[in-house]
Structure formats: structure tokens, C-alpha cells
């Protein structure tokens, strides 16, 4: 089972050292992900398999230089 408070703490840890100038962009990215992907899943536009592939791809994001 996923513990929401642990994931929230991990997210806060990840952004703790990010310049405040970039935080609005990160917030926009999160909103876009919610709006374009997660909300679309509930609307039936994306299958559960597509959502799983998206979640599984997160490990490949770790090498990105933002």
C-alpha cells in the first residue's frame, strides 16, 4: 500500500534545494501531469496500462538535467 505522507515527504525533500525561481515551473509541471494524464484516466482517455507505463518510466527521468 502506498503511504501518501511518505510520498509527500519525499517530494518535499526533492524540491527543498531547488531555487525559488523554479518552484512555479515545478508546480505547473505537476498541474499539467494531473490535468493531462491523471484526470484523463478517470475520463477513460487513458487505459490503466498506459498509466502504469507512465509511472514505470519515472526511473528514466532521474538522469535528466533540469
Amino acid at each position: 500500500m502506498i503511504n501518501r505522507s511518505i510520498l509527500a515527504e519525499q517530494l518535499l525533500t526533492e524540491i527543498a534545494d531547488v531555487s525559488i525561481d523554479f518552484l512555479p515551473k515545478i508546480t505547473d509541471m505537476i498541474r499539467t501531469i494531473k490535468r493531462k494524464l491523471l484526470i484523463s484516466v478517470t475520463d477513460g482517455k487513458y487505459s490503466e496500462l498506459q498509466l502504469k507505463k507512465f509511472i514505470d518510466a519515472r526511473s528514466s527521468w532521474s538522469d535528466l538535467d533540469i
Side-chain angles (χ1 to χ4, degrees), residues 17-19 33 56 58-59 64:
D17 59 350
V18 173
S19 169
I33 289 169
D56 291 344
R58 73 181 181 271
S59 63
L64 294 177

Side-chain angles (χ1 to χ4, degrees), residues 3-54:
N3 186 324
R4 187 177 185 90
S5 63
I6 290 174
L7 293 175
E9 185 66 34
Q10 288 174 346
L11 181 60
L12 290 174
T13 300
E14 290 296 325
I15 65 169
D17 59 350
V18 173
S19 169
I20 195 158
D21 296 331
F22 292 106
L23 291 179
K25 292 180 183 183
I26 292 172
T27 302
D28 287 343
M29 289 172 28
I30 292 170
R31 285 185 184 135
T32 299
I33 289 169
K34 284 173 57 179
R35 185 173 52 250
K36 296 292 184 180
L37 180 70
L38 301 179
I39 293 173
S40 294
V41 169
T42 61
D43 293 341
K45 293 181 182 176
Y46 292 93
S47 70
E48 291 299 320
L49 179 59
Q50 287 171 311
L51 178 59
K52 182 180 179 331
K53 286 180 182 179
F54 177 81

